[in-house]
Amino acid sequence: MSRMIRELGLLSLVALVLGCGVAGEAPVRVTPPASDAKETLQQIAGGSSLKALKQQLYQEIEGLREAQPEKAAELMADFEKLVQEKDPAAVRAQASMMAEKL
């Protein structure tokens, strides 16, 4: 009986040392897709707070620079106008106009 226990112990130790996975595999990291600038602009045009979405919108426009540098530059100029607006109706109109460009 003790021989069997030693053999099971040794087998367990070998299994523990070797493991059951392939060494060197990195865990898969899932990143959520980036928000779309058009959706954010539509939210602002619909009455959502520019203050709450300003940083997100800025990052989304910056994200366009690599794929569409001209459009990103145009939208960034419009973004600067948008953040200067004080009147909520003007903010919604500017956001709507920007969304149409996308």
Side-chain angles (χ1 to χ4, degrees):
M1 177 89 165
S2 67
R3 181 175 178 210
M4 191 165 104
I5 292 175
R6 276 188 271 146
E7 287 177 2
L8 283 175
L10 181 61
L11 184 61
S12 297
L13 181 64
V14 170
L16 180 67
V17 171
L18 294 177
C20 57
V22 177
E25 280 188 35
V28 176
R29 187 172 183 187
V30 177
T31 54
S35 297
D36 186 85
K38 186 171 186 169
E39 290 175 20
T40 304
L41 286 164
Q42 288 171 340
Q43 288 177 357
I44 295 167
S48 294
S49 170
L50 172 61
K51 187 176 182 179
L53 296 171
K54 183 168 69 172
Q55 184 65 29
Q56 177 182 339
L57 180 59
Y58 177 83
Q59 291 172 345
E60 291 167 351
I61 293 171
E62 279 294 314
L64 285 173
R65 284 202 189 275
E66 190 174 315
Q68 300 173 340
E70 296 84 18
K71 185 168 293 275
E74 180 182 352
L75 286 171
M76 193 56 73
D78 291 339
F79 175 78
E80 294 300 326
K81 292 177 189 173
L82 179 68
V83 297
Q84 297 299 319
E85 291 290 347
K86 302 293 183 206
D87 179 34
V91 169
R92 289 192 300 273
Q94 179 74 12
S96 179
M97 183 268 304
M98 290 173 68
E100 289 175 8
K101 291 183 179 182
L102 292 172

Coordinates of all heavy atoms in Angstrom, one line a residue:
M1 N 0.8 -1.2 0.0 CA 0.0 0.0 0.0 C 0.9 1.3 0.0 O 0.6 2.2 -0.7 CB -0.9 -0.1 1.2 CG -1.8 1.1 1.4 SD -3.3 0.9 0.5 CE -4.2 2.2 1.2
S2 N 1.9 1.3 0.8 CA 2.8 2.5 0.9 C 3.5 2.7 -0.5 O 3.8 3.8 -0.8 CB 3.8 2.4 2.0 OG 4.7 1.4 1.8
R3 N 3.8 1.6 -1.1 CA 4.5 1.8 -2.5 C 3.5 2.5 -3.4 O 3.9 3.3 -4.2 CB 4.9 0.4 -3.0 CG 5.5 0.4 -4.3 CD 6.0 -0.9 -4.8 NE 6.6 -0.8 -6.1 CZ 6.6 -1.7 -7.0 NH1 6.1 -2.9 -6.8 NH2 7.2 -1.4 -8.1
M4 N 2.3 2.1 -3.4 CA 1.3 2.7 -4.3 C 1.1 4.2 -3.9 O 1.0 5.0 -4.8 CB -0.1 2.0 -4.1 CG -1.1 2.4 -5.2 SD -2.4 1.2 -5.2 CE -3.7 2.2 -4.4
I5 N 1.1 4.5 -2.7 CA 1.0 5.9 -2.2 C 2.2 6.7 -2.7 O 2.1 7.9 -3.2 CB 0.8 6.0 -0.7 CG1 -0.5 5.4 -0.3 CG2 0.9 7.5 -0.2 CD1 -0.8 5.4 1.2
R6 N 3.4 6.1 -2.6 CA 4.6 6.8 -3.1 C 4.6 7.0 -4.6 O 4.9 8.1 -5.1 CB 5.9 6.0 -2.7 CG 6.4 6.3 -1.3 CD 7.7 5.7 -1.1 NE 7.4 4.3 -0.6 CZ 8.1 3.3 -0.8 NH1 9.2 3.3 -1.5 NH2 7.8 2.1 -0.3
E7 N 4.1 6.0 -5.3 CA 4.0 6.2 -6.8 C 3.0 7.2 -7.2 O 3.2 8.0 -8.1 CB 3.6 4.8 -7.4 CG 4.8 3.8 -7.4 CD 4.4 2.5 -7.9 OE1 3.2 2.3 -8.4 OE2 5.3 1.6 -7.9
L8 N 1.8 7.3 -6.5 CA 0.8 8.3 -6.8 C 1.4 9.7 -6.4 O 1.1 10.7 -7.1 CB -0.4 8.0 -6.0 CG -1.3 6.9 -6.6 CD1 -2.5 6.7 -5.6 CD2 -1.8 7.3 -7.9
G9 N 2.1 9.8 -5.3 CA 2.7 11.0 -4.9 C 3.7 11.5 -5.9 O 3.8 12.7 -6.3
L10 N 4.6 10.6 -6.4 CA 5.6 10.9 -7.4 C 4.9 11.3 -8.7 O 5.3 12.3 -9.4 CB 6.5 9.7 -7.7 CG 7.6 9.9 -8.7 CD1 8.5 11.1 -8.3 CD2 8.4 8.7 -8.9
L11 N 3.9 10.6 -9.1 CA 3.1 10.9 -10.3 C 2.5 12.3 -10.2 O 2.5 13.1 -11.2 CB 2.1 9.9 -10.6 CG 1.3 10.0 -11.9 CD1 2.2 10.0 -13.1 CD2 0.2 8.9 -12.0
S12 N 1.9 12.6 -9.1 CA 1.3 13.9 -8.8 C 2.3 15.0 -8.9 O 2.1 16.1 -9.4 CB 0.6 14.0 -7.5 OG -0.4 13.0 -7.4
L13 N 3.5 14.8 -8.3 CA 4.6 15.8 -8.3 C 5.0 16.1 -9.8 O 5.2 17.2 -10.2 CB 5.8 15.3 -7.5 CG 7.0 16.3 -7.4 CD1 6.5 17.6 -6.7 CD2 8.1 15.6 -6.7
V14 N 5.2 15.0 -10.6 CA 5.6 15.2 -12.0 C 4.5 16.0 -12.7 O 4.8 16.9 -13.5 CB 5.8 13.8 -12.7 CG1 6.0 14.0 -14.2 CG2 7.1 13.2 -12.0
A15 N 3.3 15.6 -12.5 CA 2.2 16.3 -13.2 C 2.1 17.8 -12.8 O 1.9 18.7 -13.6 CB 0.8 15.7 -12.9
L16 N 2.4 18.1 -11.5 CA 2.4 19.4 -11.0 C 3.5 20.2 -11.6 O 3.4 21.4 -12.0 CB 2.5 19.5 -9.5 CG 2.6 20.8 -8.8 CD1 1.2 21.5 -9.0 CD2 2.9 20.7 -7.3
V17 N 4.7 19.7 -11.7 CA 5.9 20.3 -12.3 C 5.7 20.6 -13.8 O 6.0 21.7 -14.3 CB 7.2 19.5 -12.1 CG1 8.3 20.1 -12.9 CG2 7.5 19.5 -10.6
L18 N 5.2 19.6 -14.5 CA 5.0 19.8 -16.0 C 3.8 20.6 -16.3 O 3.8 21.3 -17.3 CB 4.8 18.4 -16.6 CG 6.1 17.5 -16.6 CD1 5.8 16.2 -17.2 CD2 7.3 18.2 -17.3
G19 N 2.8 20.6 -15.5 CA 1.6 21.4 -15.8 C 0.8 20.7 -17.0 O 1.2 19.7 -17.5
C20 N -0.3 21.4 -17.4 CA -1.1 20.8 -18.4 C -1.2 21.7 -19.6 O -2.0 21.4 -20.5 CB -2.4 20.4 -17.8 SG -3.3 21.8 -17.1
G21 N -0.5 22.8 -19.6 CA -0.6 23.8 -20.7 C 0.7 23.9 -21.5 O 1.7 23.4 -21.0
V22 N 0.7 24.5 -22.6 CA 1.9 24.7 -23.3 C 2.6 26.0 -22.8 O 2.0 27.0 -22.6 CB 1.6 25.0 -24.8 CG1 2.8 25.3 -25.6 CG2 0.8 23.7 -25.4
A23 N 3.8 25.8 -22.5 CA 4.6 27.0 -21.9 C 4.8 28.1 -22.9 O 4.9 27.8 -24.1 CB 5.9 26.5 -21.4
G24 N 4.8 29.3 -22.5 CA 5.0 30.4 -23.4 C 3.8 31.1 -24.0 O 3.9 32.1 -24.7
E25 N 2.7 30.5 -23.8 CA 1.4 31.1 -24.3 C 1.0 32.3 -23.5 O 0.9 32.2 -22.3 CB 0.3 30.1 -24.4 CG 0.3 29.1 -25.5 CD -0.9 28.3 -25.6 OE1 -2.0 28.8 -25.3 OE2 -0.8 27.1 -25.9
A26 N 0.9 33.4 -24.1 CA 0.5 34.6 -23.4 C -1.1 34.6 -23.4 O -1.7 34.2 -24.3 CB 1.0 35.9 -24.1
P27 N -1.6 35.2 -22.3 CA -3.1 35.2 -22.3 C -3.6 36.2 -23.3 O -2.9 37.2 -23.7 CB -3.4 35.8 -20.9 CG -2.1 36.4 -20.4 CD -1.0 35.7 -21.1
V28 N -4.7 35.9 -23.9 CA -5.3 36.8 -24.9 C -5.9 38.0 -24.2 O -6.7 37.8 -23.3 CB -6.4 36.0 -25.7 CG1 -7.1 36.9 -26.7 CG2 -5.8 34.8 -26.4
R29 N -5.6 39.1 -24.7 CA -6.1 40.4 -24.2 C -7.2 40.9 -25.1 O -6.9 41.2 -26.3 CB -5.0 41.4 -24.0 CG -5.4 42.6 -23.2 CD -4.3 43.5 -22.9 NE -4.7 44.6 -22.1 CZ -4.0 45.6 -21.8 NH1 -2.7 45.6 -22.1 NH2 -4.5 46.6 -21.1
V30 N -8.4 41.1 -24.6 CA -9.5 41.5 -25.4 C -9.7 43.0 -25.1 O -9.8 43.4 -24.0 CB -10.7 40.8 -25.2 CG1 -11.9 41.3 -26.0 CG2 -10.5 39.3 -25.5
T31 N -9.6 43.8 -26.2 CA -9.9 45.3 -25.9 C -11.2 45.6 -26.6 O -11.4 45.2 -27.8 CB -8.7 46.1 -26.5 OG1 -8.6 45.8 -27.9 CG2 -7.4 45.9 -25.8
P32 N -12.0 46.4 -25.9 CA -13.3 46.7 -26.6 C -13.1 47.7 -27.7 O -12.1 48.4 -27.7 CB -14.1 47.4 -25.4 CG -13.0 47.9 -24.5 CD -11.9 46.9 -24.6
P33 N -13.9 47.6 -28.7 CA -13.7 48.6 -29.8 C -13.9 50.0 -29.4 O -14.7 50.3 -28.5 CB -14.9 48.2 -30.8 CG -15.8 47.4 -30.0 CD -15.1 46.8 -28.8
A34 N -13.2 50.9 -30.0 CA -13.2 52.3 -29.7 C -14.6 52.8 -30.1 O -15.2 52.4 -31.0 CB -12.1 53.1 -30.5
S35 N -15.0 53.8 -29.3 CA -16.3 54.4 -29.6 C -16.2 55.2 -30.9 O -15.1 55.7 -31.3 CB -16.7 55.4 -28.5 OG -16.9 54.7 -27.3
D36 N -17.3 55.4 -31.5 CA -17.3 56.1 -32.8 C -17.6 57.5 -32.6 O -18.5 57.9 -31.8 CB -18.4 55.4 -33.7 CG -18.4 56.0 -35.1 OD1 -17.7 55.5 -35.9 OD2 -19.2 56.9 -35.3
A37 N -16.8 58.4 -33.2 CA -17.0 59.9 -33.1 C -18.4 60.3 -33.5 O -19.0 61.2 -32.9 CB -15.9 60.6 -33.8
K38 N -18.9 59.7 -34.6 CA -20.2 60.0 -35.1 C -21.3 59.8 -34.0 O -22.2 60.6 -33.8 CB -20.5 59.3 -36.3 CG -21.8 59.7 -37.0 CD -22.0 59.1 -38.4 CE -23.2 59.7 -39.0 NZ -23.3 59.4 -40.4
E39 N -21.2 58.6 -33.3 CA -22.1 58.3 -32.3 C -22.1 59.3 -31.1 O -23.1 59.8 -30.6 CB -21.9 56.9 -31.7 CG -22.2 55.8 -32.6 CD -21.8 54.4 -32.1 OE1 -21.7 54.3 -30.9 OE2 -21.7 53.5 -32.9
T40 N -20.8 59.7 -30.8 CA -20.7 60.7 -29.7 C -21.2 62.0 -30.1 O -21.9 62.7 -29.3 CB -19.2 60.8 -29.3 OG1 -18.7 59.5 -29.0 CG2 -19.0 61.8 -28.2
L41 N -21.0 62.4 -31.3 CA -21.5 63.7 -31.8 C -23.1 63.7 -31.8 O -23.7 64.7 -31.5 CB -21.0 64.0 -33.2 CG -19.5 64.5 -33.2 CD1 -18.9 64.4 -34.6 CD2 -19.4 65.9 -32.6
Q42 N -23.6 62.5 -32.2 CA -25.1 62.4 -32.2 C -25.6 62.5 -30.8 O -26.7 63.0 -30.6 CB -25.5 61.1 -32.9 CG -25.2 61.2 -34.4 CD -25.4 59.8 -35.1 OE1 -25.4 58.8 -34.5 NE2 -25.7 59.8 -36.4
Q43 N -24.9 62.0 -29.9 CA -25.4 62.1 -28.5 C -25.4 63.5 -28.0 O -26.3 64.0 -27.4 CB -24.4 61.3 -27.5 CG -24.6 59.8 -27.7 CD -23.5 59.1 -26.8 OE1 -22.7 59.7 -26.1 NE2 -23.6 57.8 -26.8
I44 N -24.3 64.3 -28.4 CA -24.2 65.7 -28.0 C -25.4 66.5 -28.8 O -26.0 67.3 -28.2 CB -22.9 66.3 -28.4 CG1 -21.8 65.6 -27.5 CG2 -22.8 67.8 -28.2 CD1 -20.4 65.8 -27.9
A45 N -25.6 66.2 -30.0 CA -26.6 66.8 -30.8 C -28.0 66.5 -30.2 O -28.9 67.3 -30.3 CB -26.6 66.4 -32.3
G46 N -28.1 65.4 -29.6 CA -29.4 65.0 -29.0 C -29.6 65.5 -27.6 O -30.6 65.3 -27.0
G47 N -28.6 66.3 -27.1 CA -28.8 66.9 -25.8 C -27.9 66.5 -24.7 O -28.0 67.0 -23.6
S48 N -27.1 65.5 -25.0 CA -26.1 65.0 -23.9 C -25.1 66.1 -23.6 O -24.8 67.0 -24.5 CB -25.4 63.7 -24.4 OG -26.3 62.7 -24.5
S49 N -24.5 66.1 -22.5 CA -23.6 67.1 -22.0 C -22.3 67.1 -22.8 O -21.6 66.0 -22.8 CB -23.3 66.9 -20.5 OG -22.3 67.7 -20.1
L50 N -21.9 68.2 -23.4 CA -20.6 68.3 -24.0 C -19.5 68.1 -23.0 O -18.5 67.5 -23.3 CB -20.5 69.6 -24.8 CG -19.1 69.9 -25.4 CD1 -18.8 68.9 -26.4 CD2 -19.1 71.3 -26.0
K51 N -19.7 68.7 -21.8 CA -18.7 68.6 -20.8 C -18.4 67.2 -20.5 O -17.2 66.8 -20.3 CB -19.2 69.4 -19.5 CG -18.1 69.5 -18.5 CD -18.7 70.4 -17.3 CE -17.6 70.5 -16.3 NZ -18.1 71.4 -15.2
A52 N -19.3 66.3 -20.4 CA -19.2 64.9 -20.1 C -18.5 64.1 -21.2 O -17.8 63.2 -20.9 CB -20.5 64.3 -19.7
L53 N -18.7 64.5 -22.4 CA -18.2 63.8 -23.6 C -17.1 64.4 -24.3 O -16.6 63.9 -25.3 CB -19.4 63.6 -24.6 CG -20.5 62.7 -24.0 CD1 -21.7 62.7 -25.0 CD2 -20.1 61.3 -23.8
K54 N -16.6 65.6 -23.8 CA -15.6 66.4 -24.5 C -14.3 65.6 -24.7 O -13.8 65.5 -25.8 CB -15.3 67.7 -23.8 CG -14.3 68.6 -24.5 CD -14.3 70.0 -23.9 CE -13.7 70.0 -22.6 NZ -13.5 71.4 -22.1
Q55 N -13.8 65.0 -23.6 CA -12.5 64.2 -23.7 C -12.6 63.0 -24.6 O -11.8 62.7 -25.4 CB -12.1 63.8 -22.3 CG -10.7 63.1 -22.3 CD -9.6 64.0 -22.7 OE1 -9.6 65.3 -22.5 NE2 -8.6 63.5 -23.3
Q56 N -13.8 62.3 -24.5 CA -14.0 61.1 -25.3 C -14.0 61.5 -26.8 O -13.4 60.9 -27.6 CB -15.3 60.5 -25.0 CG -15.7 59.3 -25.8 CD -17.0 58.7 -25.5 OE1 -17.5 58.9 -24.4 NE2 -17.6 57.9 -26.4
L57 N -14.7 62.6 -27.1 CA -14.8 63.1 -28.5 C -13.4 63.5 -29.0 O -13.0 63.1 -30.2 CB -15.8 64.2 -28.6 CG -16.0 64.8 -30.0 CD1 -16.4 63.8 -31.0 CD2 -16.9 66.0 -30.0
Y58 N -12.7 64.2 -28.2 CA -11.3 64.6 -28.6 C -10.5 63.3 -29.0 O -9.8 63.3 -30.0 CB -10.6 65.4 -27.5 CG -9.2 65.8 -27.8 CD1 -8.9 66.9 -28.5 CD2 -8.1 65.0 -27.3 CE1 -7.6 67.2 -28.8 CE2 -6.8 65.3 -27.6 CZ -6.6 66.5 -28.3 OH -5.3 66.8 -28.6
Q59 N -10.5 62.3 -28.1 CA -9.7 61.1 -28.4 C -10.2 60.4 -29.6 O -9.4 59.8 -30.4 CB -9.8 60.2 -27.2 CG -9.1 60.7 -26.0 CD -9.3 59.9 -24.7 OE1 -10.2 59.1 -24.6 NE2 -8.4 60.2 -23.7
E60 N -11.5 60.4 -29.9 CA -12.0 59.7 -31.1 C -11.6 60.5 -32.3 O -11.2 59.8 -33.3 CB -13.5 59.7 -31.0 CG -14.0 58.7 -29.9 CD -15.5 58.9 -29.6 OE1 -16.1 59.8 -30.1 OE2 -16.0 58.0 -28.9
I61 N -11.5 61.8 -32.3 CA -11.1 62.5 -33.5 C -9.6 62.3 -33.7 O -9.1 62.1 -34.8 CB -11.4 64.0 -33.3 CG1 -12.9 64.2 -33.3 CG2 -10.7 64.9 -34.4 CD1 -13.4 65.6 -33.0
E62 N -8.8 62.3 -32.6 CA -7.4 62.0 -32.7 C -7.2 60.6 -33.2 O -6.2 60.4 -34.0 CB -6.7 62.1 -31.3 CG -6.4 63.5 -30.8 CD -5.3 64.1 -31.7 OE1 -4.3 63.5 -32.0 OE2 -5.6 65.3 -32.1
G63 N -8.0 59.7 -32.9 CA -7.9 58.3 -33.5 C -8.1 58.2 -35.0 O -7.6 57.3 -35.6
L64 N -8.7 59.2 -35.6 CA -8.9 59.3 -37.0 C -7.7 59.8 -37.8 O -7.6 59.6 -39.0 CB -10.1 60.2 -37.4 CG -11.5 59.8 -37.1 CD1 -12.5 60.9 -37.3 CD2 -11.8 58.6 -38.0
R65 N -6.8 60.4 -37.0 CA -5.6 61.0 -37.7 C -4.8 60.1 -38.6 O -4.4 60.4 -39.6 CB -4.7 61.7 -36.7 CG -5.2 63.0 -36.2 CD -4.1 63.8 -35.6 NE -4.6 65.0 -34.9 CZ -5.0 66.1 -35.5 NH1 -4.8 66.2 -36.8 NH2 -5.4 67.1 -34.8
E66 N -4.6 58.9 -38.1 CA -3.8 57.9 -38.9 C -4.5 57.5 -40.2 O -3.9 57.4 -41.2 CB -3.5 56.7 -38.0 CG -2.5 55.8 -38.7 CD -2.0 54.7 -37.8 OE1 -1.8 54.9 -36.6 OE2 -2.0 53.5 -38.2
A67 N -5.8 57.2 -40.1 CA -6.5 56.6 -41.2 C -7.0 57.8 -42.2 O -7.0 57.6 -43.4 CB -7.7 55.8 -40.8
Q68 N -7.4 58.9 -41.6 CA -8.0 60.0 -42.4 C -7.5 61.3 -41.9 O -8.2 62.1 -41.2 CB -9.5 60.0 -42.3 CG -10.1 58.7 -42.8 CD -11.6 58.6 -42.6 OE1 -12.2 59.4 -41.8 NE2 -12.3 57.8 -43.4
P69 N -6.2 61.6 -42.2 CA -5.6 62.9 -41.6 C -6.3 64.2 -42.0 O -6.5 65.1 -41.1 CB -4.2 62.8 -42.1 CG -4.1 61.8 -43.2 CD -5.3 60.9 -43.0
E70 N -6.8 64.3 -43.2 CA -7.5 65.5 -43.6 C -8.8 65.7 -42.9 O -9.1 66.8 -42.4 CB -7.7 65.5 -45.2 CG -6.5 65.5 -46.0 CD -5.9 64.1 -46.2 OE1 -6.7 63.1 -46.0 OE2 -4.7 64.0 -46.6
K71 N -9.6 64.6 -42.8 CA -10.9 64.7 -42.1 C -10.7 65.0 -40.7 O -11.4 65.7 -40.1 CB -11.7 63.4 -42.3 CG -13.1 63.5 -41.7 CD -13.9 62.3 -42.1 CE -14.3 62.3 -43.6 NZ -15.4 63.1 -44.0
A72 N -9.6 64.4 -40.1 CA -9.4 64.6 -38.7 C -9.0 66.0 -38.4 O -9.4 66.6 -37.4 CB -8.2 63.6 -38.2
A73 N -8.2 66.6 -39.3 CA -7.8 68.0 -39.1 C -9.0 68.9 -39.2 O -9.2 69.9 -38.4 CB -6.8 68.4 -40.2
E74 N -9.9 68.6 -40.2 CA -11.1 69.4 -40.3 C -12.0 69.3 -39.1 O -12.6 70.3 -38.6 CB -11.9 69.0 -41.6 CG -13.2 69.7 -41.9 CD -13.9 69.2 -43.1 OE1 -13.3 68.3 -43.8 OE2 -15.0 69.6 -43.3
L75 N -12.2 68.1 -38.6 CA -13.0 67.8 -37.4 C -12.4 68.5 -36.2 O -13.1 68.9 -35.3 CB -13.2 66.3 -37.2 CG -14.2 65.7 -38.2 CD1 -14.2 64.2 -38.0 CD2 -15.6 66.2 -38.0
M76 N -11.1 68.5 -36.1 CA -10.4 69.1 -34.9 C -10.7 70.6 -34.9 O -10.9 71.2 -33.8 CB -8.9 68.8 -34.9 CG -8.3 69.1 -33.6 SD -9.0 68.3 -32.1 CE -8.5 66.6 -32.3
A77 N -10.7 71.2 -36.1 CA -11.0 72.6 -36.2 C -12.4 72.9 -35.7 O -12.7 73.8 -35.0 CB -10.7 73.2 -37.6
D78 N -13.3 72.0 -36.2 CA -14.7 72.1 -35.8 C -14.9 71.9 -34.3 O -15.7 72.5 -33.6 CB -15.6 71.1 -36.6 CG -15.7 71.5 -38.1 OD1 -15.5 72.7 -38.4 OD2 -16.0 70.6 -38.9
F79 N -14.1 70.9 -33.8 CA -14.1 70.6 -32.3 C -13.8 71.8 -31.5 O -14.4 72.1 -30.5 CB -13.2 69.5 -32.0 CG -13.1 69.1 -30.6 CD1 -14.0 68.4 -29.9 CD2 -12.0 69.6 -29.8 CE1 -13.9 68.1 -28.6 CE2 -11.8 69.3 -28.5 CZ -12.8 68.5 -27.9
E80 N -12.7 72.6 -32.0 CA -12.3 73.8 -31.2 C -13.5 74.8 -31.2 O -13.7 75.4 -30.2 CB -11.1 74.4 -31.9 CG -9.9 73.5 -31.8 CD -9.4 73.3 -30.4 OE1 -9.6 74.1 -29.5 OE2 -8.9 72.1 -30.1
K81 N -14.2 74.9 -32.3 CA -15.4 75.8 -32.3 C -16.5 75.3 -31.4 O -17.1 76.1 -30.7 CB -16.0 75.9 -33.8 CG -15.1 76.6 -34.7 CD -15.7 76.6 -36.1 CE -14.8 77.1 -37.2 NZ -15.3 76.9 -38.5
L82 N -16.7 74.0 -31.4 CA -17.7 73.4 -30.6 C -17.5 73.7 -29.1 O -18.4 74.0 -28.4 CB -17.7 71.9 -30.8 CG -18.7 71.0 -30.0 CD1 -20.1 71.4 -30.4 CD2 -18.4 69.6 -30.2
V83 N -16.2 73.5 -28.6 CA -16.0 73.7 -27.2 C -16.0 75.2 -26.8 O -16.2 75.5 -25.6 CB -14.6 73.1 -26.7 CG1 -14.7 71.6 -26.9 CG2 -13.5 73.7 -27.5
Q84 N -15.9 76.1 -27.8 CA -16.0 77.5 -27.5 C -17.5 78.0 -27.3 O -17.8 79.0 -26.8 CB -15.3 78.3 -28.6 CG -13.9 78.1 -28.7 CD -13.1 78.4 -27.4 OE1 -13.4 79.4 -26.8 NE2 -12.1 77.6 -27.1
E85 N -18.4 77.2 -27.9 CA -19.8 77.6 -27.9 C -20.4 77.6 -26.4 O -20.1 76.7 -25.7 CB -20.7 76.6 -28.7 CG -20.4 76.7 -30.2 CD -21.0 78.0 -30.8 OE1 -21.7 78.8 -30.2 OE2 -20.6 78.3 -32.0
K86 N -21.2 78.5 -26.1 CA -21.8 78.6 -24.8 C -23.3 78.3 -24.8 O -23.8 77.7 -23.9 CB -21.6 80.0 -24.2 CG -20.2 80.5 -24.1 CD -19.4 79.7 -23.1 CE -18.0 80.2 -22.9 NZ -17.1 79.2 -22.5
D87 N -23.9 78.6 -26.0 CA -25.3 78.4 -26.1 C -25.6 76.9 -26.4 O -25.1 76.3 -27.4 CB -25.9 79.2 -27.3 CG -27.3 79.1 -27.5 OD1 -28.1 78.8 -26.5 OD2 -27.8 79.1 -28.7
P88 N -26.4 76.2 -25.6 CA -26.7 74.8 -25.8 C -27.3 74.5 -27.2 O -26.9 73.5 -27.8 CB -27.7 74.5 -24.7 CG -27.5 75.5 -23.7 CD -27.1 76.7 -24.4
A89 N -28.1 75.4 -27.8 CA -28.6 75.2 -29.1 C -27.5 75.2 -30.1 O -27.5 74.4 -31.1 CB -29.7 76.2 -29.4
A90 N -26.6 76.1 -30.0 CA -25.4 76.2 -30.9 C -24.5 75.0 -30.8 O -24.0 74.5 -31.8 CB -24.6 77.5 -30.6
V91 N -24.4 74.5 -29.6 CA -23.6 73.3 -29.4 C -24.2 72.1 -30.1 O -23.5 71.3 -30.8 CB -23.4 73.0 -27.9 CG1 -22.8 71.6 -27.6 CG2 -22.5 74.0 -27.2
R92 N -25.5 72.0 -29.9 CA -26.2 70.9 -30.6 C -26.1 71.0 -32.1 O -25.9 70.0 -32.8 CB -27.7 70.8 -30.2 CG -27.8 70.3 -28.7 CD -29.3 70.0 -28.4 NE -30.2 71.1 -28.5 CZ -30.4 72.0 -27.5 NH1 -29.8 71.9 -26.4 NH2 -31.2 73.0 -27.7
A93 N -26.3 72.2 -32.6 CA -26.2 72.4 -34.1 C -24.8 72.1 -34.6 O -24.6 71.5 -35.7 CB -26.6 73.9 -34.4
Q94 N -23.8 72.6 -33.9 CA -22.4 72.3 -34.3 C -22.1 70.8 -34.3 O -21.5 70.3 -35.2 CB -21.4 73.1 -33.4 CG -19.9 72.9 -33.7 CD -19.5 73.6 -35.0 OE1 -20.2 74.4 -35.5 NE2 -18.3 73.2 -35.5
A95 N -22.5 70.1 -33.3 CA -22.3 68.7 -33.2 C -23.0 67.9 -34.3 O -22.5 67.0 -34.9 CB -22.8 68.2 -31.8
S96 N -24.2 68.4 -34.6 CA -25.0 67.8 -35.7 C -24.3 68.0 -37.0 O -24.2 67.0 -37.8 CB -26.4 68.4 -35.8 OG -27.1 67.8 -36.8
M97 N -23.8 69.2 -37.3 CA -23.0 69.5 -38.5 C -21.8 68.6 -38.6 O -21.4 68.1 -39.6 CB -22.7 71.0 -38.5 CG -22.0 71.4 -39.8 SD -20.2 71.4 -39.8 CE -19.8 72.3 -38.3
M98 N -21.1 68.4 -37.5 CA -19.9 67.6 -37.5 C -20.2 66.1 -37.7 O -19.5 65.4 -38.4 CB -19.1 67.7 -36.1 CG -18.5 69.1 -35.9 SD -17.8 69.3 -34.2 CE -16.5 68.1 -34.3
A99 N -21.3 65.7 -37.1 CA -21.7 64.3 -37.3 C -22.0 64.0 -38.8 O -21.7 62.9 -39.3 CB -22.9 63.9 -36.5
E100 N -22.6 65.0 -39.5 CA -22.9 64.8 -40.9 C -21.6 64.6 -41.8 O -21.7 64.0 -42.8 CB -23.7 66.0 -41.4 CG -25.1 66.0 -40.9 CD -25.9 67.2 -41.3 OE1 -25.4 68.0 -42.2 OE2 -27.0 67.4 -40.8
K101 N -20.5 65.1 -41.3 CA -19.2 65.0 -42.0 C -18.7 63.6 -41.9 O -17.8 63.3 -42.7 CB -18.2 66.0 -41.5 CG -18.6 67.5 -41.8 CD -17.5 68.4 -41.3 CE -17.8 69.8 -41.7 NZ -16.8 70.8 -41.2
L102 N -19.2 62.8 -41.0 CA -18.6 61.5 -40.8 C -19.4 60.5 -41.5 O -20.3 60.1 -41.8 CB -18.5 61.2 -39.3 CG -17.5 62.0 -38.6 CD1 -17.6 61.7 -37.1 CD2 -16.1 61.6 -39.0

